[in-house]
Amino acid sequence: MAGHFEATPGGGAAVALDEVEIAILRSLAVQLLELIGPGDEPAEGEDPLAALFAEGPSEPPSDPALARLFPEAYGDDDTELRAASAEFRRFTENDLRTRKRDDALVVVRTLDALTPAEGGAAVLTLAADECRSWLGSLNDLRLTIGTRLEVSDEDGGEDGSLYRLPDSDPRKPMVMAYLWLGALQETLVETLMP
């Protein structure tokens, strides 16, 4: 189980994580929450149903990582498609942000509930609904890190050089996190497949 998810009864999954892995995952999830931004909670006395129908932004985010997390629906090749994308974004981005925020909060909360043994690992056991949240967050983290690293295809560049960085390269820790998150994501997907 060390380093990869395994299926548990009831459609869940489990993975053994040491203190450093827990701290890294938690830190990345908190940074993702900060990137996504706070939610718009209905003001006191405001109708919560009205808040559900509040319009969101119509322009894509200027931050490349956020633009990757909240991409254009129809591309931006012509004026008509840009208008359709703006309309789609206006009515969907708030909900998408809420879902991404909720997924990241599940990651933080499940990690906070762990108590690693001294010098050992703790076993993170996720219920089926928590697995879906973890999958969403692992994907969002990889997209964000990949954007920051300017990963453009499956192998990290035409020659794969991103994965052969010298230890002195300042990008190395983020590349290692990117690869590790990918392995966690892959094993979690495999546990959930019938």
Side-chain angles (χ1 to χ4, degrees):
M1 179 182 312
H4 63 276
F5 280 96
E6 292 182 6
T8 61
V15 64
L17 300 169
D18 65 29
E19 285 184 63
V20 172
E21 292 168 328
I22 293 167
I24 290 169
L25 283 167
R26 189 182 191 291
S27 174
L28 290 172
V30 167
Q31 290 176 56
L32 180 62
L33 284 166
E34 291 169 356
L35 178 67
I36 292 169
D40 294 328
E41 296 295 322
E44 189 172 323
E46 182 182 354
D47 179 10
L49 190 56
L52 285 175
F53 295 104
E55 294 182 10
S58 59
E59 295 296 319
S62 59
D63 182 315
L66 281 173
R68 184 70 178 103
L69 292 176
F70 306 104
E72 291 286 18
Y74 305 109
D76 59 0
D77 295 340
D78 64 37
T79 304
E80 192 173 304
L81 289 178
R82 279 194 299 275
S85 283
E87 189 74 359
F88 184 80
R89 179 179 299 281
R90 202 167 59 124
F91 291 109
T92 61
E93 186 171 312
N94 285 344
D95 287 341
L96 186 55
R97 279 182 185 270
T98 298
R99 194 193 82 223
K100 290 179 180 299
R101 191 177 305 108
D102 290 347
D103 288 347
L105 283 170
V106 167
V107 170
V108 171
R109 289 178 182 138
T110 55
L111 291 171
D112 284 350
L114 289 178
T115 310
E118 191 172 320
V123 176
L124 172 69
T125 303
L126 302 174
D129 60 326
E130 292 171 328
C131 288
R132 286 186 289 281
S133 293
W134 267 76
L135 272 177
S137 249
L138 288 171
N139 187 60
D140 291 343
L141 288 168
R142 290 192 76 239
L143 287 173
T144 301
I145 293 170
T147 301
R148 297 286 191 240
L149 291 170
E150 299 179 352
V151 173
S152 59
D153 59 25
E154 298 267 338
D155 66 356
E158 302 231 351
D159 61 359
S161 61
L162 188 60
Y163 302 122
R164 292 190 304 272
L165 293 174
D167 289 342
S168 61
D169 191 303
R171 297 172 295 168
K172 183 78 174 205
M174 289 313 294
V175 169
M176 298 305 294
Y178 179 79
L179 295 171
W180 176 55
L181 291 170
L184 283 175
Q185 184 180 19
E186 182 178 347
T187 62
L188 184 52
V189 167
E190 287 171 359
T191 66
L192 301 177
M193 301 217 21

